[in-house]
Amino acid sequence: MGGCDQPFILTDCSLEETANLLSPVVRKEQPEPLDVDMFGILTDDSPLRYIGFDQQGCHSSLVYQTPNGSRYWCPDVSSHFKPVVGKIYLTWDEVYKMYETYGEMSGFQIRVAGYKKWKGEITHRVLVCNKAGKPRGKMIDSVHPASMSGARSSCFKVTGCKALIRLGAIKGITNYVLYEFSENHNHELVSSENMDLTRKGKHLNFDDLHFVHAMSLNRVGATVAHRLQTSLKGGHHNMRGTRNSYKNISRDIRMFIGDRDVQLVLKKLEDRAKNLHNFSFEIHHFEGVLQAIFWADDVSKLSYQLFGDVIAFDATYSTNK
């Protein structure tokens, strides 16, 4: 070529054929790709370096780190359960249930962050991780000792987590479209074995409430009832509610009964008198306060006829009833 021994090589350009001639078209210089070993993904224009895999029981997550040392946990969940940008949901309940299920499978709890309205109608809604937001600082004035009182003790801490989903309401109908999904958390996710310690995990369902009530009818306290339920379900990670949750439910049942405990006892004795043969009872009260109750069934009356002895006792002595 051109009287040269070596062929002419065209670098970073291609030949474009036109009607009359072949003209070279120079390509733009491409940026150098990121090193795969150093940077895995890009989030909010900040490079994140993959540093490991975090396993918390049945929950797993991918751990990334920014150049300044901040770490992020990305839940390793099947794409079938992840929110999909652009998907339309029929109702708000469907959206909430979807993100709540995704959070339970990932290891975090959710809450409603807020919404926007236009002419009285909701146009946008946001669901965030329950660790979103930053704690408010407390102003302390040394002149006023009351301002130096300690804050309420709590094991729950917010970390400013940015994991969320944003949805827009479709005008005229109840549908919502998901237009933003951020899945990285700036805190470790909860282990599957400790999900019973979360806010939702402490809430008991109807079966648990019925179990606590049935145990109380058999004079089994809340602490023992919690131990029995833990054994029956194979561990605390398979059940809902803590020991304090059971105690609170037992307390609420007693408060619901309140001052009607005497009426419940009398109603039970009246039902026995109607349905049991030769059953009778007597009560003694003074100024509206019940003083004593005596009851006897058919067997007790026959025993009195044979032996002529009567034993009276306080059925609630030393039982904290």
Side-chain angles (χ1 to χ4, degrees):
M1 277 186 179
C4 298
D5 297 336
Q6 296 182 355
F8 177 74
I9 299 177
L10 188 64
T11 306
D12 291 335
C13 54
S14 62
L15 296 179
E16 178 177 305
E17 184 176 3
T18 62
N20 300 322
L21 51 85
L22 295 177
S23 60
V25 177
V26 181
R27 296 174 179 173
K28 294 183 179 180
E29 184 178 357
Q30 299 294 329
E32 295 182 2
L34 296 175
D35 188 357
V36 178
D37 296 333
M38 291 297 297
F39 299 98
I41 62 174
L42 295 176
T43 303
D44 296 333
D45 297 331
S46 299
L48 299 181
R49 179 170 58 91
Y50 175 76
I51 61 175
F53 184 80
D54 188 17
Q55 185 74 31
Q56 298 289 342
C58 297
H59 298 159
S60 58
S61 58
L62 306 177
V63 185
Y64 298 91
Q65 184 174 349
T66 62
N68 61 2
S70 301
R71 292 190 177 185
Y72 291 88
W73 284 260
C74 180
D76 185 20
V77 181
S78 173
S79 59
H80 178 71
F81 299 98
K82 285 187 177 183
V84 179
V85 176
K87 184 175 180 179
I88 297 178
Y89 298 89
L90 300 180
T91 61
W92 171 249
D93 292 337
E94 182 181 356
V95 175
Y96 192 91
K97 184 62 178 178
M98 176 274 301
Y99 198 53
E100 185 180 47
T101 303
Y102 169 72
E104 291 178 353
M105 298 187 65
S106 302
F108 69 95
Q109 296 293 295
I110 69 170
R111 61 180 175 86
V112 180
Y115 57 87
K116 291 183 180 180
K117 279 188 174 182
W118 174 255
K119 295 183 179 181
E121 295 184 359
I122 295 178
T123 58
H124 298 80
R125 306 195 74 161
V126 184
L127 286 174
V128 299
C129 173
N130 66 338
K131 288 185 177 291
K134 296 182 180 180
R136 297 179 179 179
K138 183 180 180 181
M139 301 299 294
I140 297 178
D141 188 358
S142 59
V143 179
H144 300 85
S147 65
M148 302 179 64
S149 59
R152 180 180 178 183
S153 177
S154 175
C155 60
F156 179 78
K157 303 295 182 182
V158 294
T159 62
C161 183
K162 301 299 182 182
L164 54 80
I165 58 172
R166 298 183 186 272
L167 303 109
I170 301 179
K171 188 176 181 180
I173 54 179
T174 60
N175 296 2
Y176 286 87
V177 57
L178 193 151
Y179 66 89
E180 182 179 347
F181 170 44
S182 178
E183 58 181 334
N184 291 329
H185 300 256
N186 64 352
H187 57 87
E188 293 187 21
L189 302 178
V190 182
S191 172
S192 60
E193 298 179 353
N194 294 325
M195 289 298 291
D196 61 316
L197 302 177
T198 59
R199 182 175 299 179
K200 181 183 178 181
K202 293 180 181 179
H203 293 172
L204 304 181
N205 52 29
F206 178 78
D207 293 337
D208 296 323
L209 299 179
H210 184 268
F211 180 80
V212 176
H213 178 61
M215 292 295 100
S216 64
L217 295 179
N218 291 276
R219 296 184 179 182
V220 178
T223 302
V224 178
H226 182 267
R227 293 176 182 173
L228 291 174
Q229 190 78 311
T230 304
S231 300
L232 291 174
K233 293 190 175 182
H236 66 88
H237 57 281
N238 293 328
M239 60 181 296
R240 300 177 65 90
T242 61
R243 185 181 304 174
N244 289 335
S245 301
Y246 275 59
K247 291 181 179 180
N248 293 337
I249 293 300
S250 180
R251 175 205 59 196
D252 294 341
I253 293 175
R254 294 194 299 269
M255 291 183 65
F256 177 78
I257 295 175
D259 298 334
R260 293 172 293 177
D261 53 349
V262 176
Q263 285 76 10
L264 292 176
V265 173
L266 295 179
K267 183 64 169 58
K268 189 172 185 179
L269 292 176
E270 291 174 356
D271 293 340
R272 289 190 176 185
K274 294 178 181 179
N275 300 317
L276 297 180
H277 174 68
N278 202 17
F279 181 91
S280 59
F281 69 94
E282 293 290 339
I283 62 173
H284 174 69
H285 60 88
F286 178 73
E287 295 182 354
V289 179
L290 181 63
Q291 300 290 333
I293 301 178
F294 177 81
W295 69 90
D297 56 7
D298 193 19
V299 176
S300 299
K301 293 178 180 180
L302 290 176
S303 299
Y304 178 75
Q305 292 178 1
L306 294 176
F307 303 102
D309 295 328
V310 175
I311 300 178
F313 62 93
D314 183 1
T316 62
Y317 177 76
S318 191
T319 60
N320 195 26
K321 297 291 185 180

